[in-house]
Amino acid sequence: VIFIIISVSRIEIVKRSTCQEESSESSTLLLLMNSPRSRARSSDQVNRKENEPSIPELIRTESEESIVVDIAETGERHIIQVQGRERNQDAYAFFTHKLELISGIPKESLIILGGPPFKSYMRSFPPKGNQVFLFDKRALSSAKPSKVIFQRMLAPSVTLPVTPTQVLDDELTQLLTKLQSASISPLHSTLPMYERHLMLHLNKAQILVTYARKTVSQCENWAAARERQRGALGAAIGNLMDHLQRTSVDYQNMVTALTEQQAQGKRLLDGFDDAMRLLVETPLNPTIAALLGGDKLADCIPYDRYAPYVDQCRTSQQRLARSADDMHVLHDHLESSAHRLGVDDIEDKGNAEKARSMLTSQENFLHVAEELYQGVRREVMAHVTVLVDPSHPDPSGVLRRVLDDMEKVRLRSEEDLVKLTATHDQLVSLSLKMAEMMDQGATEVRAKVAEISTIQRSIVNLQQHVKLRNEALKQQREDFGHLEMIHRLPKEVSLFEQELRRRHRHQTHFGDEVTAAQNHLTELYRQEVEARENYLKDHGRYLPPCFSTTVCPSIFQKPPRFRVELANEPQGLILAEDETTTPPPSTPSYMTRAAALQRCAELEAEIELLKQSAPPTYESVESIPPLFQSVEEPPPLPPLEEIKETTLAPNDDPAIDSAGETKTETKTEIVTEIGNFS
């Protein structure tokens, strides 16, 4: 037994160097470095390292802006620092360059969605405060992504030590050295083995907990990345639905206009034969018939050319209806495909919480293992101190009880280590499951983005079809306008005749009013001339010269001349009145006549006031001015029948309708000419 114990001790010493090489990454797992404070500091360092941005932090200034960008396929989050307050093209070029570096996506393949509402920003920044997702245009190809993208990121499998780590405690090392050189019984030699067993269990627990911390941190990052993958898919689907909604509005407007045109076209086509028969049977007005050389309404149109034209309109109507049916099928397919797209719920959303719970359980086991080791170490040091001291008696009876207690502690530690290992296996399985979930999410993003791209191309195709159908619908309205003219021709010709009669009545009535106004103004002019002559004969000689030169130079002048000019429209066709003719409207009250009558009354009142005024006095008869200065007599007014009738030319008439037809109008002008009397 002594030989075996000494051999095992020597083997442990020989293997310590090998154990140090195998567990060099776990050299910090010694007992003295695994206090609760050290564990918390180590956990914070790991979490801080996992949450560091993927790009180096720039020196922040007040003129910098932070833009958070989420990669759609991997769910990674990056923070881009953009320099400069202005969001100009240089800043955007820097922004896309940084995206290219951190994502590995070429600049020409970047698709940036910002929102909500989510839109593509290929040449400018998304608005501030928007969520920003980055997509890879290359994902739209048929190439399939690797299925082990995230599984490769799993932490390597852990290797547990087979021997405990080297003891660095000088006091315990000295005691064990003395124990090996002392002459003791085999029972006493087994005492240090319990310290070694507990140290080995503690080392294994420390390695498993360190692995668990890294794995849990990675699982939490993956859970957040999976949510970002779902957010990116939601942004892409939202952009698609907005595009489809705008297209659907245009499509529904086109369908409504097409339905109305189809109903109107059917009415025109179905009643075309009856309309043409009515034109053949309806006679023309004799006056119009004499000008056109025909006696029926059918003689006013190219009757023989309408039959093939109607066949073409009917064919156009049928083709447009069939194309509308095809578009209806395409639109329904697009809507059903778009609404089938959805963001799948994440299976086992609580995986990250489960991993965190497993880590807590392992940390509790580690804490118990530390306490068990500390207790065993204290007992071993106490009894080894007694054994190496020759002055103490042999405490064999006491040592047996101690060894029994240590054996119980060792068995409990082994049970805890078995539980810790089982929890470790569950955590490894959970992390593998989350890695597979992330790979599945990346595959889903690629597949659905490719499907969204296909639907987007179909939407663009539908928009082109809608545009073409609108143009065809516009042309069809113009074509069917000729058929509508056939249906409306009898009524329109009747209204045309009524309009001609109305215009003739108006022209006659207006000419009478102009003649009456001319006669009335002529009489007013004559009365004014007579009144001025009477005044000057009776009182003009008594006015001092300054009154006629300074105060009122026109006192010895006649009233201003006037001319009534009627720019009339050309004489139109005169139709005989019949019993069905609408009676002429009541005589309108023209402002020109009313103003003339009012002015006449005012002039008569002024003449009466002049007659009642006192006559002026003059120093001598020679100072009396002559009755009238030399003025030209106003030319006589031409009779109304000789007034020129002029028609406005198309370029001179401001009132021209959209079809380019000239609208003629009658202009009545009262031209007042002031004589140049000196």
Side-chain angles (χ1 to χ4, degrees):
V1 174
I2 296 174
F3 173 76
I4 294 174
I5 294 175
I6 295 174
S7 299
V8 170
S9 301
R10 290 179 177 177
I11 292 173
E12 290 176 0
I13 295 173
V14 171
K15 289 185 176 180
R16 281 170 186 168
S17 59
T18 306
C19 181
Q20 288 178 356
E21 294 177 359
E22 293 178 351
S23 59
S24 58
E25 297 179 356
S26 306
S27 59
T28 60
L29 304 178
L30 296 175
L31 173 64
L32 299 178
M33 301 181 66
N34 277 276
S35 62
R37 182 178 300 177
S38 300
R39 289 199 309 273
R41 183 166 57 251
S42 176
S43 178
D44 293 340
Q45 291 174 354
V46 172
N47 293 335
R48 192 182 309 115
K49 184 176 180 180
E50 293 291 340
N51 295 329
E52 285 182 353
S54 300
I55 58 174
E57 291 283 344
L58 301 177
I59 300 177
R60 300 196 175 191
T61 62
E62 294 182 356
S63 61
E64 290 181 352
E65 177 186 357
S66 299
I67 301 178
V68 180
V69 181
D70 295 334
I71 310 299
E73 186 171 345
T74 61
E76 297 176 358
R77 170 164 288 184
H78 300 284
I79 301 177
I80 310 297
Q81 300 292 337
V82 181
Q83 297 179 349
R85 293 182 179 273
E86 297 183 0
R87 291 181 152 214
N88 50 25
Q89 292 299 322
D90 294 338
Y92 183 78
F94 173 79
F95 174 67
T96 54
H97 176 67
K98 299 299 291 185
L99 286 180
E100 183 179 9
L101 292 179
I102 64 176
S103 65
I105 303 174
K107 187 178 296 185
E108 60 274 8
S109 299
L110 295 176
I111 301 177
I112 302 174
L113 285 185
F118 289 96
K119 299 179 181 179
S120 177
Y121 295 90
M122 304 303 296
R123 297 179 180 84
S124 61
F125 284 99
K128 292 183 178 180
N130 280 14
Q131 289 180 287
V132 181
F133 294 99
L134 179 63
F135 293 82
D136 189 353
K137 190 180 296 183
R138 298 172 299 178
L140 307 180
S141 63
S142 58
K144 299 295 183 182
S146 174
K147 296 184 179 180
V148 290
I149 296 176
F150 290 92
Q151 296 179 40
R152 294 171 183 167
M153 300 170 60
L154 288 172
S157 59
V158 63
T159 302
L160 298 178
V162 295
T163 59
T165 58
Q166 182 179 0
V167 179
L168 300 180
D169 191 345
D170 295 338
E171 183 181 1
L172 183 58
T173 302
Q174 293 175 3
L175 288 175
L176 291 178
T177 303
K178 291 179 180 180
L179 183 63
Q180 291 175 2
S181 61
S183 176
I184 57 176
S185 65
L187 181 63
H188 294 163
S189 300
T190 59
L191 186 61
M193 298 300 298
Y194 287 99
E195 186 272 337
R196 293 289 83 194
H197 279 293
L198 269 295
M199 173 59 79
L200 180 61
H201 294 171
L202 179 59
N203 294 153
K204 291 181 178 180
Q206 291 169 341
I207 293 175
L208 292 177
V209 170
T210 301
Y211 177 87
R213 286 170 179 163
K214 293 182 179 179
T215 303
V216 169
S217 177
Q218 194 172 43
C219 290
E220 290 177 343
N221 291 336
W222 282 348
R226 187 70 183 95
E227 289 292 339
R228 297 186 195 109
Q229 286 179 337
R230 297 180 72 251
L233 274 181
I237 294 175
N239 175 262
L240 171 68
M241 298 306 294
D242 291 342
H243 194 190
L244 179 59
Q245 183 179 5
R246 292 192 299 269
T247 305
S248 296
V249 171
D250 296 338
Y251 168 77
Q252 294 298 338
N253 293 336
M254 187 275 298
V255 169
T256 302
L258 181 61
T259 303
E260 295 175 356
Q261 177 60 26
Q262 290 284 318
Q264 183 179 5
K266 186 177 183 300
R267 177 182 62 82
L268 295 176
L269 291 173
D270 293 345
F272 180 76
D273 294 337
D274 296 337
M276 292 295 287
R277 190 179 304 109
L278 182 62
L279 295 185
V280 174
E281 297 173 355
T282 304
L284 278 172
N285 184 283
T287 306
I288 299 177
L291 295 175
L292 298 179
D295 56 351
K296 302 294 183 182
L297 283 180
D299 297 331
C300 302
I301 61 172
Y303 183 84
D304 297 335
R305 297 172 57 185
Y306 265 93
Y309 185 78
V310 170
D311 293 337
Q312 294 177 3
C313 290
R314 187 173 286 107
T315 302
S316 172
Q317 177 99 337
Q318 295 172 355
R319 289 179 178 175
L320 194 57
R322 287 196 298 269
S323 65
D325 294 339
D326 297 338
M327 288 181 58
H328 182 70
V329 173
L330 176 60
H331 179 264
D332 290 348
H333 174 70
L334 284 178
E335 285 204 335
S336 61
S337 300
H339 286 92
R340 279 199 307 270
L341 287 173
V343 182
D344 298 335
D345 292 335
I346 300 177
E347 299 180 358
D348 299 332
K349 292 184 178 180
N351 285 338
E353 289 76 6
K354 292 179 182 179
R356 174 59 65 181
S357 176
M358 293 178 185
L359 176 60
T360 303
S361 175
Q362 288 184 323
E363 288 178 341
N364 292 335
F365 281 125
L366 176 61
H367 181 66
V368 172
E370 289 176 353
E371 292 180 349
L372 292 177
Y373 173 79
Q374 291 285 0
V376 169
R377 182 176 180 276
R378 284 193 299 269
E379 291 292 334
V380 168
M381 291 187 66
H383 288 84
V384 169
T385 302
V386 173
L387 290 175
V388 299
D389 189 356
S391 63
H392 288 78
D394 183 10
S396 299
V398 178
L399 183 60
R400 285 191 180 93
R401 291 193 301 271
V402 172
L403 291 177
D404 291 339
D405 294 339
M406 289 187 179
E407 181 66 18
K408 294 178 182 179
V409 173
R410 186 188 66 81
L411 293 176
R412 179 186 175 185
S413 178
E414 285 185 353
E415 292 177 358
D416 291 346
L417 184 61
V418 171
K419 295 178 181 178
L420 190 63
T421 305
T423 305
H424 168 75
D425 295 338
Q426 295 177 3
L427 185 59
V428 171
S429 177
L430 183 62
S431 63
L432 179 61
K433 184 178 180 180
M434 293 194 68
E436 292 175 351
M437 181 184 66
M438 288 299 299
D439 289 333
Q440 181 182 358
T443 303
E444 180 186 5
V445 169
R446 274 186 172 252
K448 289 195 174 182
V449 167
E451 187 175 357
I452 289 172
S453 177
T454 301
I455 298 176
Q456 292 277 23
R457 287 194 293 268
S458 299
I459 291 176
V460 173
N461 186 25
L462 179 61
Q463 288 177 335
Q464 294 175 351
H465 279 285
V466 169
K467 182 179 179 180
L468 292 176
R469 296 310 179 278
N470 284 329
E471 294 176 356
L473 192 59
K474 180 180 178 181
Q475 183 62 40
Q476 192 180 66
R477 288 196 188 99
E478 296 179 0
D479 296 340
F480 275 74
H482 297 284
L483 303 186
E484 188 174 5
M485 184 193 70
I486 297 300
H487 284 263
R488 297 176 60 95
L489 187 57
K491 181 180 179 181
E492 296 299 331
V493 170
S494 176
L495 295 176
F496 172 75
E497 295 177 2
Q498 295 179 19
E499 177 66 13
L500 289 181
R501 295 188 181 96
R502 186 198 64 78
R503 291 190 180 188
H504 178 66
R505 291 194 299 270
H506 165 75
Q507 186 175 9
T508 303
H509 178 72
F510 193 82
D512 294 342
E513 291 292 331
V514 171
T515 302
Q518 179 183 2
N519 295 335
H520 185 72
L521 292 176
T522 303
E523 177 62 22
L524 289 179
Y525 183 82
R526 186 191 62 77
Q527 293 177 4
E528 175 64 16
V529 171
E530 182 179 356
R532 292 191 182 191
E533 289 179 350
N534 293 336
Y535 169 76
L536 293 177
K537 286 180 181 179
D538 297 338
H539 310 288
R541 68 182 65 186
Y542 302 110
L543 292 174
C546 61
F547 276 61
S548 60
T549 58
T550 304
V551 178
C552 183
S554 63
I555 189 64
F556 293 103
Q557 296 178 0
K558 288 185 177 182
R561 295 175 295 176
F562 70 93
R563 182 172 69 251
V564 178
E565 182 175 299
L566 177 63
N568 201 359
E569 61 182 345
Q571 182 67 36
L573 181 64
I574 301 177
L575 300 180
E577 297 286 349
D578 53 12
E579 296 179 357
T580 61
T581 303
T582 304
S586 59
T587 303
S589 177
Y590 292 94
M591 292 300 297
T592 304
R593 181 178 181 184
L597 294 176
Q598 182 180 0
R599 181 58 181 162
C600 179
E602 293 176 355
L603 291 176
E604 290 178 353
E606 292 178 1
I607 291 174
E608 292 296 331
L609 291 176
L610 290 174
K611 289 181 179 180
Q612 297 175 5
S613 60
T617 57
Y618 294 92
E619 297 179 356
S620 62
V621 178
E622 289 76 16
S623 62
I624 298 176
L627 182 60
F628 286 110
Q629 296 182 1
S630 175
V631 296
E632 297 181 357
E633 291 292 335
L637 294 175
L640 182 63
E641 293 76 8
E642 297 181 4
I643 297 177
K644 291 185 179 180
E645 297 178 354
T646 60
T647 303
L648 295 176
N651 293 335
D652 298 333
D653 188 3
I656 299 178
D657 59 7
S658 59
E661 298 179 357
T662 304
K663 295 181 180 179
T664 58
E665 62 179 10
T666 302
K667 295 175 63 178
T668 302
E669 298 179 355
I670 303 298
V671 183
T672 303
E673 296 183 0
I674 305 298
N676 185 15
F677 300 104
S678 58

